[in-house]
Amino acid sequence: MWKKSESSEESNPQSTPAPQATPPAAPRTPVPVQSARAVIGSTISIKGDLIGEEDLLIEGRVEGKIEFRHHSVVVGKNGRIKADIHGKTITVEGNVEGNLFGEEQLVVRQSGTVRGNIVSPRVALEDGSNFKGSIDMSPKEKSAAMPSAMPAPDKSSSINKTA
């Protein structure tokens, strides 16, 4: 039986190109890279700007500016931030002093504290969360048209009904 295997390998030199089938596996490697998340640990303190193209979890301290516009930013329970945060989705479980700009969604968890303004089309403040500031939930497309749309609510139809 051993001779048959050896003879078939020798008679089929084309069997060596089969390992070339592994290069299609190479495009699969970027998929895990896209789901990768950078972590700033609880013992790390950063002063400056953070800019990146991956998801971010902050358990430490950050002062400056955080820009992950196309990715999620999570401020963990131990996170202490003094910065404006720009992200696709932002979740706050720790303490943030600064303005938050969520492209899609912003969530302040029960353990979270935010002192600053929030701009996002979807905002959720869980029971027990602490928030001081203003919230703007205007979609981007309508935010430019808002000044022209402002006279529509001023028709005073509700005021005439009560008067």
Side-chain angles (χ1 to χ4, degrees), residues 11 21-22 31 33 40 49 57 76 101 108 120 122 125 146 152 159:
S11 64
T22 55
V31 174
V33 174
I40 297 175
D49 296 344
L57 170 61
F101 302 91
V108 181
S120 182
R122 293 175 24 201
L125 301 175
M146 285 300 284
I159 295 174

Side-chain angles (χ1 to χ4, degrees), residues 118-130:
I118 294 175
V119 178
S120 182
R122 293 175 24 201
V123 175
L125 301 175
E126 289 185 354
D127 287 342
S129 64
N130 193 346

